[in-house]
Amino acid sequence: IWHTYAIADAPRPTRKTSTGTQLWGPSGAAIWTAPTIDLARRAVYVGTGNAYSEPATTTSDAILALDMDTGKLRWSRQITPNDVFVVNCRDKNPNCPEAVGPDFDFGSSPILRQAPNGRALLVVGQKSGVAYGLDPDKQGALLWQFRAGKGGLLGGIEWGMAADEENVYIPVSDLLDPADAPRGLFAVRLATGEQVWHAPAPSLNCAGGRGCVGSQSAAITAIPGIVFAGSVDGHIRAYSTRDGRVVWSFDTAREFDTVNRVKANGGSIDAAGPVVADGMLLTNSGYGQWRGKPGNVLLAFEVERGASS
């Protein structure tokens, strides 16, 4: 029906490296967020990643609003300009950008909500560790911002936030920080961006090694009264939306007897978030990249019979 590029300009030759290799640009601004649909405005919102090569464009590290029917770019709100980043370019290499950026992608899908004051807004979370409230009726004008984490490579807000009618809930990754870094989960008012509460990452009893970190990189899920959040330490936790208190926790980083008799164990929870459907909670467990612990299970939970509400 339509096809729209995050970078409208065709790549062209730029500079040559010290070894004579011809470099090309612009490139990057990859979309690794799931799109958000706005039926009232007939719009599709996506977040973009950093540029891969110079020159950076105005649509990298940005929120794009596309016309749902034509794909035409209605507006773009860039949050971090000139972020040209390639993995393993922290040390100078002739193929790397001359000025390496901070790696502040948008990996968290935009959340479209109506605040209690009636204002529509898009809430977006960035790997910088900052969440933003944007006005979809004023070309993404900034309404508020809130710093939840330190941010950077594998840091800040990674795969997904959640929101209800009052608050937006923000998990913090900051995966490369020390194991005892605060991280945790924040609740922020939708209308103003003011902090409601902060639940630091729980203390860990593990003695280092893979999975021994309280990063909450995975997407989270909210239902009335509860936020479910997985962690690289392997726990899935239920937080009260009222005060951030952990009301239920389960350690998935262990062996399981499976329904199909395949030998299995859980590990870190990262990337995909938990799913709630028909009174059940489903989550993956096992993610061996970065500092994570591998595993190979899909777990299904239900409320215990006779449990209090």
Side-chain angles (χ1 to χ4, degrees), residues 9 24 49 57 79 82 94-95 101 147-148 158 176 185 188 190 213 271 281-282 307 309:
D9 299 330
W24 292 67
T57 66
I79 303 297
N82 301 316
N95 293 320
R147 176 165 291 283
E158 289 277 339
L176 299 184
L185 183 70
V188 171
L190 273 173
V213 59
L281 169 72
L282 299 101
S309 59

Short mmCIF file of all heavy atoms in Angstrom, two decimals, residues 9 24 49 57 79 82 94-95 101 147-148 158 176 185 188 190 213 271 281-282 307 309:
data_model
loop_
_atom_site.label_atom_id
_atom_site.label_comp_id
_atom_site.label_asym_id
_atom_site.label_seq_id
_atom_site.Cartn_x
_atom_site.Cartn_y
_atom_site.Cartn_z
N ASP A 9 16.92 10.62 2.22
CA ASP A 9 18.04 10.87 1.31
C ASP A 9 18.76 9.57 0.93
O ASP A 9 19.02 8.72 1.79
CB ASP A 9 19.05 11.82 1.96
CG ASP A 9 18.44 13.17 2.29
OD1 ASP A 9 17.52 13.59 1.58
OD2 ASP A 9 18.89 13.79 3.27
N TRP A 24 30.18 5.78 3.00
CA TRP A 24 28.93 6.29 2.45
C TRP A 24 28.00 6.71 3.59
O TRP A 24 28.07 6.19 4.70
CB TRP A 24 28.23 5.21 1.61
CG TRP A 24 28.96 4.86 0.34
CD1 TRP A 24 30.16 4.23 0.22
CD2 TRP A 24 28.51 5.11 -0.99
NE1 TRP A 24 30.50 4.08 -1.10
CE2 TRP A 24 29.50 4.61 -1.86
CE3 TRP A 24 27.37 5.70 -1.53
CZ2 TRP A 24 29.38 4.68 -3.24
CZ3 TRP A 24 27.25 5.77 -2.91
CH2 TRP A 24 28.26 5.26 -3.75
N GLY A 49 16.28 4.64 15.60
CA GLY A 49 17.56 4.47 16.25
C GLY A 49 18.57 5.52 15.80
O GLY A 49 18.25 6.47 15.09
N THR A 57 21.17 12.30 10.20
CA THR A 57 20.01 13.01 9.66
C THR A 57 19.11 13.47 10.81
O THR A 57 19.28 13.07 11.96
CB THR A 57 19.20 12.11 8.73
OG1 THR A 57 18.63 11.04 9.50
CG2 THR A 57 20.08 11.53 7.64
N ILE A 79 15.12 13.90 19.20
CA ILE A 79 15.47 14.16 20.59
C ILE A 79 16.98 14.32 20.76
O ILE A 79 17.44 15.21 21.49
CB ILE A 79 14.96 13.03 21.50
CG1 ILE A 79 13.43 12.89 21.35
CG2 ILE A 79 15.33 13.29 22.95
CD1 ILE A 79 12.63 14.10 21.77
N ASN A 82 22.87 14.22 15.92
CA ASN A 82 24.28 13.85 15.69
C ASN A 82 24.74 12.63 16.48
O ASN A 82 25.90 12.54 16.88
CB ASN A 82 25.20 15.04 16.02
CG ASN A 82 24.88 16.26 15.19
OD1 ASN A 82 24.66 16.16 13.99
ND2 ASN A 82 24.82 17.42 15.83
N PRO A 94 39.61 3.19 11.75
CA PRO A 94 39.45 4.03 10.56
C PRO A 94 38.06 3.93 9.92
O PRO A 94 37.65 4.84 9.21
CB PRO A 94 40.53 3.51 9.60
CG PRO A 94 40.93 2.18 10.13
CD PRO A 94 40.74 2.25 11.61
N ASN A 95 37.32 2.85 10.17
CA ASN A 95 35.99 2.70 9.59
C ASN A 95 34.89 3.31 10.46
O ASN A 95 33.72 3.29 10.09
CB ASN A 95 35.68 1.21 9.37
CG ASN A 95 36.56 0.61 8.31
OD1 ASN A 95 36.84 1.24 7.30
ND2 ASN A 95 37.02 -0.61 8.55
N GLY A 101 28.78 8.75 18.69
CA GLY A 101 27.67 9.24 19.48
C GLY A 101 27.39 8.39 20.71
O GLY A 101 28.05 7.38 20.96
N ARG A 147 14.09 11.88 33.94
CA ARG A 147 15.26 11.00 33.88
C ARG A 147 15.08 9.85 34.85
O ARG A 147 14.98 10.04 36.06
CB ARG A 147 16.55 11.75 34.20
CG ARG A 147 17.77 10.81 34.23
CD ARG A 147 19.10 11.53 34.20
NE ARG A 147 19.36 12.15 32.91
CZ ARG A 147 19.76 11.49 31.82
NH1 ARG A 147 19.95 10.17 31.86
NH2 ARG A 147 19.97 12.14 30.69
N ALA A 148 15.08 8.63 34.30
CA ALA A 148 14.92 7.43 35.12
C ALA A 148 16.24 6.68 35.31
O ALA A 148 16.42 6.00 36.33
CB ALA A 148 13.90 6.49 34.48
N GLU A 158 14.90 0.35 27.51
CA GLU A 158 15.19 -0.50 26.36
C GLU A 158 13.94 -0.91 25.58
O GLU A 158 13.60 -0.32 24.57
CB GLU A 158 15.95 -1.74 26.83
CG GLU A 158 17.38 -1.45 27.28
CD GLU A 158 18.36 -1.38 26.13
OE1 GLU A 158 18.06 -1.93 25.05
OE2 GLU A 158 19.43 -0.77 26.30
N LEU A 176 25.23 -2.26 31.87
CA LEU A 176 26.68 -2.30 32.04
C LEU A 176 27.15 -1.61 33.31
O LEU A 176 28.34 -1.60 33.60
CB LEU A 176 27.36 -1.69 30.82
CG LEU A 176 27.07 -2.39 29.48
CD1 LEU A 176 27.87 -1.75 28.36
CD2 LEU A 176 27.37 -3.89 29.56
N LEU A 185 12.27 0.40 38.94
CA LEU A 185 11.04 0.74 38.24
C LEU A 185 10.50 2.05 38.80
O LEU A 185 10.45 2.25 40.01
CB LEU A 185 10.02 -0.38 38.45
CG LEU A 185 8.68 -0.26 37.74
CD1 LEU A 185 8.85 -0.44 36.23
CD2 LEU A 185 7.70 -1.31 38.29
N VAL A 188 5.52 7.54 37.02
CA VAL A 188 5.55 8.97 36.72
C VAL A 188 4.15 9.40 36.28
O VAL A 188 3.49 8.68 35.52
CB VAL A 188 6.59 9.26 35.61
CG1 VAL A 188 6.50 10.69 35.13
CG2 VAL A 188 8.00 8.95 36.11
N LEU A 190 1.27 10.82 34.22
CA LEU A 190 1.09 11.06 32.80
C LEU A 190 1.00 12.54 32.47
O LEU A 190 1.59 13.02 31.50
CB LEU A 190 -0.19 10.37 32.30
CG LEU A 190 -0.12 8.91 31.87
CD1 LEU A 190 -1.52 8.40 31.58
CD2 LEU A 190 0.77 8.74 30.66
N VAL A 213 22.44 -9.53 37.84
CA VAL A 213 22.30 -8.09 37.70
C VAL A 213 20.81 -7.78 37.68
O VAL A 213 20.02 -8.52 37.12
CB VAL A 213 23.01 -7.58 36.42
CG1 VAL A 213 22.44 -8.25 35.17
CG2 VAL A 213 22.92 -6.08 36.31
N ALA A 271 14.12 -8.46 26.60
CA ALA A 271 13.45 -8.22 25.32
C ALA A 271 11.93 -8.28 25.47
O ALA A 271 11.33 -7.33 25.92
CB ALA A 271 13.97 -9.18 24.25
N LEU A 281 -0.85 -15.34 33.23
CA LEU A 281 0.36 -14.56 32.95
C LEU A 281 1.34 -15.48 32.24
O LEU A 281 1.65 -16.57 32.74
CB LEU A 281 0.96 -14.03 34.25
CG LEU A 281 2.36 -13.42 34.16
CD1 LEU A 281 2.30 -12.07 33.45
CD2 LEU A 281 2.98 -13.25 35.54
N LEU A 282 1.82 -15.05 31.08
CA LEU A 282 2.79 -15.85 30.33
C LEU A 282 4.06 -15.04 30.11
O LEU A 282 4.00 -13.85 29.79
CB LEU A 282 2.21 -16.27 28.97
CG LEU A 282 0.95 -17.14 29.05
CD1 LEU A 282 -0.28 -16.27 28.79
CD2 LEU A 282 1.02 -18.28 28.05
N ALA A 307 -6.90 -17.76 46.58
CA ALA A 307 -6.02 -16.61 46.89
C ALA A 307 -6.86 -15.35 47.02
O ALA A 307 -7.84 -15.16 46.31
CB ALA A 307 -4.97 -16.45 45.81
N SER A 309 -7.76 -11.37 46.71
CA SER A 309 -7.56 -10.43 45.61
C SER A 309 -6.62 -9.32 46.02
O SER A 309 -6.41 -9.06 47.20
CB SER A 309 -8.91 -9.84 45.20
OG SER A 309 -9.51 -9.17 46.28
#
